[in-house]
Amino acid sequence: MTSINYDEKIPNNVDLSSNRRLKRALEKWQPAYVDWWKSVGPQVFVDNDIYLRTAISTEPGGWAHFGHTKMEDYRWGIFLDEKEEDRVIPGGDDAGKPVWQDVPGEHRNLLKRLIVVQADTEPASVEQQRWLAAVAPSLYDARNLFQVNVEEGRHLWAMVYLLQAHFGRDGRDEADELLERRSGDADKPRILDAFNQPCTDWLSFFCFTMFADRDGKYQLASLAESAFDPLARTCRFMLTEEAHHMFVGDTGMGRVLQRSAELTLLDPNGDARAQGGIDLQTVQKWVNYWFPYCLDLFGAEVSSNAADAFAAGIKGRYREAKKYDDHLALDQFKTITYADKGVLDDREIALRLAMNEVLRDDYVDDCAKSVARWNKLLEKSGVDFRITLPHRRFFRRQGLYADKHFDIAGAPMAADKWDAYIENCLPTDGDRAYVTSLMKPVYEPGKMANWIAPPRRGINGQAMDYDYVRTDG
Ligand code: BYC
C-alpha cells in the first residue's frame, strides 16, 4: 500500500485501478489540469531539466528521490500516508470513536467547504509565483521555487482526489472550479485574500513561503487530526513536503537579512540601498505586509464554524491527539480581546468558539521562533536593527480587528493618522519599485544576486554550482 504505482496514468497508492468510475473521473480532470499548469503555472524554464525531488513511496524518506526532470513530466498523483489501524477520532464530541472512511451525511457540507478552501490555495500559489523564475537570484533558488510549485500542484491533486472520491457530482463540479478561479482575478478570484496578492518579487516569495506555507503547516496539521481518515492521511503526507517550503522561506529571509546587514555595514552611510541591496527597514515592511495576510487565513477569532468543525471532529487542534488530555474542550474558556470604538476589552469566550485563535496562537509562536533566529543572525553580523513580528491586530482584514486601525504594537489608533503611519511600516509604491529594480535574473551556476547571501549548503548534498536547472535545455 505504501509504494506508489507509477505505471498508471495517474500515479497513486490508493489502488485507483479498482475503482473505475473514480479513475475515469480523474482521468477526465487530468488534461484540464495540464492545460491549467501550462497556461498559469511556471512560465520560465518550462522545457528545461530541473533537479527535482519526487515521491516514490510514502514511507519516511521514501519521497526523497532526486533527479533531473522537466516540470511537465513531474509525476503528479495521489499519495496517502499509510493507514493507521484502529485509529480513533482525536477530538470533539465523538473523540475516541472509530474514524470515518466515508463522509457522514450530516457533516458533508462543512467538510466539503474546508477541503475546497484548502484545495483552492494550492493552484493559487502556483499562479502567484509563475513569473518569479524570470528574475531568480540564482539557479539554486529557481530550483527551489519549482520544487515548491510542483508540490503545490500535487497537493491540488490530493484534494481533488478527496472531492471526486467522496463528494459525488458536487465534488466533481468543485474540482472543475478549482481550475477556473484565478489568483487576483477581479471576476473569479481565489477564495482567500492572501492568495490573491501579487507575489512578483523574491522578497515577497520568501515572505510567502515563510508565512503562508507555515499557515499551511498548521492548517494541514489540524486537518491531519480529522475524523475523516482519508483527509487526515493525505494531509499527513502533504506535511512532509511542506517542511521544504518553509525551509525555503525561513532560510531565504535569513539570507536576505544577512546580506542586507553586510551591505549596511559596508556602506559609509549605513545605506544598504546605496550598495545595491535591500535595506533592513524594507525587509521589515514586507514582513509587516505578509504576516497579517497570513494571520487572516486562520479565520475569525470567534467562529461558530470553527466550533462546529471541532465538535464534529472534522478539524482538531494542532497535535490534538498528542498534546491534549481533554479532547472535548467543553466548559473551558479563552480570553479574546475585543476592540470597539478604540477600546480594548478582554472577554472570556467558550474555547470551542475560539478554536481559530488557538491555532493562530501556535502559528504566531512558531513564526516568532524564526524571527528570533533571524535576529541572532543580525546581532552576530553587528547591526543594531532587529526584525519584529507586527501585533496580530495590525493591518487585518478578517475577524474582530478588520476595518479598524492599530499600530504595529497593537494599540488602537485614530483613522486619520493611519495613512501617514503606514508610509513608514508598509511597502510604498517607491519601495516596491526599488525592490522590483533589483530583480534581475542570475542564471550562472553558483552565482548569486548581490542582494542575497548564498545558502549554507546546496540541495541534497550537491555543490552550489551544481546544475540545479539545466539552462541549456
Ligand atoms: N480571506 O466561514 P467563516 C496552504 C471569509 S496555506 C478571504 O464564518 P471562519 C498553502 C470566509 O470565506 C493553508 N475570506 O469562518 C500555503 C467566509 O466567507 P463566506 C490554506 C476569508 O471561522 C502556501 C467568511 O469570511 N488554508 O495550504 O472565519 C502555498 C466568514 O468565515 C478569509 C487556510 O488557511 C480570508 N483570509 O473561517 C500553498 C484555510 N477568512 O463563505 C498552499 C484555513 C475568512 O461567508 N481556514 N474569510 O463568503 C479555514 O478554512 C477557515 O474555515 C476560513 C473561515 C478561513 C475559510
Side-chain angles (χ1 to χ4, degrees), residues 366-422:
D366 197 1
C367 292
K369 282 185 197 145
S370 292
V371 172
R373 268 198 308 277
W374 302 340
N375 282 338
K376 275 223 172 81
L377 193 150
L378 290 176
E379 188 182 346
K380 237 168 103 185
S381 74
V383 293
D384 293 333
F385 194 95
R386 300 288 178 266
I387 293 290
T388 47
L389 273 184
H391 192 279
R392 66 179 81 187
R393 288 195 281 273
F394 174 74
F395 192 45
R396 293 283 302 280
R397 282 149 310 273
Q398 300 292 335
L400 282 178
Y401 312 118
D403 306 322
K404 299 185 168 112
H405 300 100
F406 302 91
D407 66 17
I408 284 277
M413 65 184 295
D416 59 358
K417 301 231 163 65
W418 178 249
D419 286 346
Y421 182 73
I422 57 170

Side-chain angles (χ1 to χ4, degrees), residues 110 113-115 117-126 128-129 148 152 155 190-196 208-209 211-220 222-223 238 242 245 292-307 309 315 353 356 359 397-399:
L110 185 51
R113 166 83 180 147
L114 286 177
I115 293 172
V117 169
Q118 177 60 44
D120 191 68
T121 64
E122 316 290 357
S125 68
V126 175
Q128 283 169 295
Q129 297 164 12
V148 169
E152 300 302 4
H155 293 180
R190 290 295 174 183
I191 296 170
L192 299 174
D193 293 337
F195 294 87
N196 285 309
F208 188 94
T209 36
F211 294 117
D213 282 274
R214 197 167 303 271
D215 162 53
K217 168 182 163 184
Y218 284 87
Q219 300 300 340
L220 294 174
S222 71
L223 295 175
M238 287 159 77
E242 207 62 53
H245 305 189
Y293 268 108
C294 295
L295 290 175
D296 279 340
L297 294 172
F298 290 79
E301 284 71 14
V302 181
S303 164
S304 58
N305 276 344
K315 204 172 166 181
L353 284 170
N356 286 342
L359 195 61
R397 282 149 310 273
Q398 300 292 335

Side-chain angles (χ1 to χ4, degrees), residues 87-378:
R87 181 171 173 255
V88 294
I89 299 175
D93 292 340
D94 293 325
K97 293 187 184 162
V99 290
W100 323 316
Q101 296 309 325
D102 293 304
V103 179
E106 68 270 33
H107 300 316
R108 198 170 186 273
N109 281 345
L110 185 51
L111 201 43
K112 189 181 70 182
R113 166 83 180 147
L114 286 177
I115 293 172
V116 167
V117 169
Q118 177 60 44
D120 191 68
T121 64
E122 316 290 357
S125 68
V126 175
E127 292 163 7
Q128 283 169 295
Q129 297 164 12
R130 69 187 184 278
W131 284 106
L132 280 170
V135 290
S138 72
L139 292 179
Y140 162 92
D141 288 292
R143 176 264 166 217
N144 283 346
L145 164 72
F146 295 144
Q147 183 72 53
V148 169
N149 292 160
V150 291
E151 286 175 353
E152 300 302 4
R154 204 199 61 71
H155 293 180
L156 173 60
W157 271 94
M159 293 294 130
V160 162
Y161 162 72
L162 293 176
L163 288 170
Q164 298 212 350
H166 295 277
F167 294 90
R169 179 70 200 256
D170 281 1
R172 289 195 290 281
D173 289 348
E174 294 285 6
D176 291 345
E177 284 173 36
L178 285 165
L179 297 177
E180 286 159 16
R181 286 187 288 271
R182 288 286 178 275
S183 175
D185 188 295
D187 299 324
K188 282 195 165 185
R190 290 295 174 183
I191 296 170
L192 299 174
D193 293 337
F195 294 87
N196 285 309
Q197 302 312 303
C199 184
T200 47
D201 65 77
W202 279 75
L203 187 51
S204 291
F205 175 66
F206 292 135
C207 283
F208 188 94
T209 36
M210 166 68 205
F211 294 117
D213 282 274
R214 197 167 303 271
D215 162 53
K217 168 182 163 184
Y218 284 87
Q219 300 300 340
L220 294 174
S222 71
L223 295 175
E225 303 286 336
S226 182
F228 181 40
D229 202 41
L231 173 63
R233 287 169 59 205
T234 198
C235 287
R236 262 182 260 142
F237 186 64
M238 287 159 77
L239 278 164
T240 60
E241 293 169 325
E242 207 62 53
H244 173 71
H245 305 189
M246 288 182 292
F247 160 86
V248 169
D250 195 341
T251 58
M253 291 299 285
R255 288 162 55 209
V256 174
L257 287 167
Q258 186 184 327
R259 187 64 181 148
S260 301
E262 283 165 11
L263 293 172
T264 305
L265 293 171
L266 193 72
D267 190 74
N269 301 314
D271 179 3
R273 285 196 187 196
Q275 300 296 321
I278 305 176
D279 54 300
L280 292 160
Q281 182 56 34
T282 296
V283 181
Q284 177 70 59
K285 284 182 167 187
W286 259 241
V287 169
N288 294 347
Y289 180 83
W290 283 102
F291 180 62
Y293 268 108
C294 295
L295 290 175
D296 279 340
L297 294 172
F298 290 79
E301 284 71 14
V302 181
S303 164
S304 58
N305 276 344
D308 292 347
F310 182 82
I314 288 173
K315 204 172 166 181
R317 284 169 290 188
Y318 183 63
R319 297 197 172 145
E320 179 70 43
K322 289 206 179 108
K323 192 170 138 186
Y324 295 92
D325 294 326
D326 169 18
H327 298 299
L328 277 177
L330 283 171
D331 304 322
Q332 295 179 55
F333 299 88
K334 182 164 172 62
T335 308
I336 300 284
T337 306
Y338 280 68
D340 292 322
K341 299 197 178 87
V343 179
L344 299 180
D345 173 23
D346 284 352
R347 295 187 206 164
E348 297 298 296
I349 296 297
L351 184 58
R352 283 187 175 188
L353 284 170
M355 282 304 174
N356 286 342
E357 193 65 359
V358 170
L359 195 61
R360 191 164 18 232
D361 284 348
D362 288 323
Y363 169 78
V364 171
D365 288 350
D366 197 1
C367 292
K369 282 185 197 145
S370 292
V371 172
R373 268 198 308 277
W374 302 340
N375 282 338
K376 275 223 172 81
L377 193 150
L378 290 176

